[in-house]
Amino acid sequence: MAHKLEVQNVSYSYHAIEGETPALSDISFTADTGEFIAIVGPSGCGKSTLLSLLSGLARPESGLVLIDGKPAEQAKEAIGYMLQKDHLFEWRSILSNAALGLEIQNRLDPDSRSHLIQMLKTYGLEQFQDKHPSQLSGGMRQRAALIRTLALKPDLLLLDEPFSALDYQTRLSVCDDISSIIRETKKTAVLVTHDLSEAISVADRVIILSSRPATVKKVITLSFSQPSSKPSGIETSNLLSPMERRNAPEFSYYFNQIWKELKSDASSSQCADSV
Ligand code: ADP
Ligand code: MG
């Protein structure tokens, strides 16, 4: 069976009058259904460019991006894209903000509306559905943005530094919240971040990119031993919450390993101050 996502030898450059900016060079990786992939790399290395290729908004210069075996631009309905800013509209209520994607795609009907209201309930926003974005905390706004994305029932979620606009404490709890929502709904997710701790606390695999033009430097599969309080006999790595992972003994081991990779790259590049 085809992978949920397959990236094959993808390269991409930006072209301007001043010249060419190579952003990605020969990137390959796959993600299977239910997998959570984190992509880390120095700022400016090409992470957002890579996500825009995965979303089908831009096409690779060479190589292929396949979703369920089909080119990404033919699979747009399967993709949900969440950005750093929540992009909620102040003049709309939280409910009507969350309904925006459905509205645009002409898919807002009594069924999808009740599914939306159920999600607002499940994720603690029921009492805020008639409020406006400025009346909510940063974390709640980010949850509303996620609900807007999930309402479209995408199979593949692309997350471009979705927590980085939040203060540290909110960020920890929203990261915890959102990654458990993604796990519960068994979505495949690709999270781009420059925050190593965030990557290690949520992902099954971390893909480390080099500085620009980005290449895949290393792929690290994360495995956390099961704490004694968890049930035995089943794969429990994925059951650890981000907060539990942060406290697990393996966490600092992975942190050091990824940090070393990024540092060795940064010391030989112009991005030295950005990791
Ligand atoms: P990251 O998300 O890792 O910070 P980006 O993918 O946004 O990096 O950008 C990668 C490189 O491509 C950067 O050097 C950036 O300046 C350049 N770049 C991004 N968008 C454009 C564009 N529209 N035109 C020209 N260069 C761009
Ligand atoms: Mg970016």
Side-chain angles (χ1 to χ4, degrees), residues 97-149:
N97 262 294
L100 187 64
L102 288 169
E103 222 175 285
I104 290 172
Q105 292 194 0
N106 262 332
R107 286 162 61 190
L108 191 59
D109 55 25
D111 274 359
S112 60
R113 193 183 151 86
S114 73
H115 176 233
L116 200 58
I117 291 172
Q118 186 54 48
M119 274 201 290
L120 288 166
K121 213 183 261 183
T122 309
Y123 304 130
L125 292 177
E126 189 191 17
Q127 288 158 358
F128 297 88
Q129 65 182 43
D130 299 322
K131 303 265 192 247
H132 287 263
S134 62
Q135 296 171 288
L136 269 65
S137 69
M140 287 169 149
R141 293 173 61 122
Q142 222 33 2
R143 256 183 284 155
L146 180 70
I147 292 169
R148 180 184 56 197
T149 308

Side-chain angles (χ1 to χ4, degrees), residues 51-271:
L51 275 202
S52 65
L53 298 184
L54 302 190
S55 74
L57 290 173
R59 286 189 194 195
E61 215 159 48
S62 61
L64 285 173
V65 176
L66 301 174
I67 292 165
D68 292 319
K70 286 188 297 192
E73 65 271 16
Q74 289 172 29
K76 287 210 180 93
E77 294 227 327
I79 300 167
Y81 206 162
M82 193 168 154
L83 303 165
Q84 189 171 343
K85 283 195 183 160
D86 55 51
H87 294 286
L88 298 175
F89 293 118
E90 185 51 36
W91 65 87
R92 286 182 158 239
S93 68
I94 290 304
L95 176 60
S96 96
N97 262 294
L100 187 64
L102 288 169
E103 222 175 285
I104 290 172
Q105 292 194 0
N106 262 332
R107 286 162 61 190
L108 191 59
D109 55 25
D111 274 359
S112 60
R113 193 183 151 86
S114 73
H115 176 233
L116 200 58
I117 291 172
Q118 186 54 48
M119 274 201 290
L120 288 166
K121 213 183 261 183
T122 309
Y123 304 130
L125 292 177
E126 189 191 17
Q127 288 158 358
F128 297 88
Q129 65 182 43
D130 299 322
K131 303 265 192 247
H132 287 263
S134 62
Q135 296 171 288
L136 269 65
S137 69
M140 287 169 149
R141 293 173 61 122
Q142 222 33 2
R143 256 183 284 155
L146 180 70
I147 292 169
R148 180 184 56 197
T149 308
L150 291 177
L152 298 169
K153 301 197 172 158
D155 295 338
L156 175 64
L157 273 172
L158 305 176
L159 307 158
D160 195 352
E161 313 226 23
F163 316 123
S164 57
L166 304 171
D167 64 76
Y168 185 67
Q169 225 171 334
T170 312
R171 187 175 175 157
L172 285 182
S173 76
V174 175
C175 171
D176 210 281
D177 266 9
I178 288 190
S179 72
S180 52
I181 294 169
I182 292 170
R183 293 275 185 207
E184 280 160 21
T185 50
K186 299 199 166 49
K187 303 287 178 198
T188 311
V190 180
L191 167 75
V192 153
T193 177
H194 62 266
D195 183 334
L196 311 191
S197 304
E198 200 163 278
I200 301 164
S201 64
V202 298
D204 298 309
R205 263 188 301 146
V206 179
I207 295 175
I208 305 170
L209 299 182
S210 69
S211 50
R212 194 180 63 75
T215 55
V216 175
K217 258 200 116 183
K218 194 159 194 168
V219 179
I220 294 180
T221 301
L222 303 178
S223 161
F224 288 84
S225 57
Q226 102 199 16
S228 48
S229 58
K230 295 270 173 180
S232 60
I234 50 169
E235 174 55 66
T236 51
S237 240
N238 293 349
L239 298 182
L240 293 194
S241 73
M243 216 55 101
E244 288 170 320
R245 282 189 178 198
R246 283 174 198 265
N247 291 322
E250 294 88 350
F251 192 88
S252 56
Y253 166 77
Y254 288 129
F255 189 96
N256 288 330
Q257 199 184 358
I258 299 171
W259 173 252
K260 261 189 224 150
E261 286 294 333
L262 287 169
K263 216 167 92 182
S264 71
D265 192 60
S267 58
S268 61
S269 84
Q270 56 192 2
C271 295

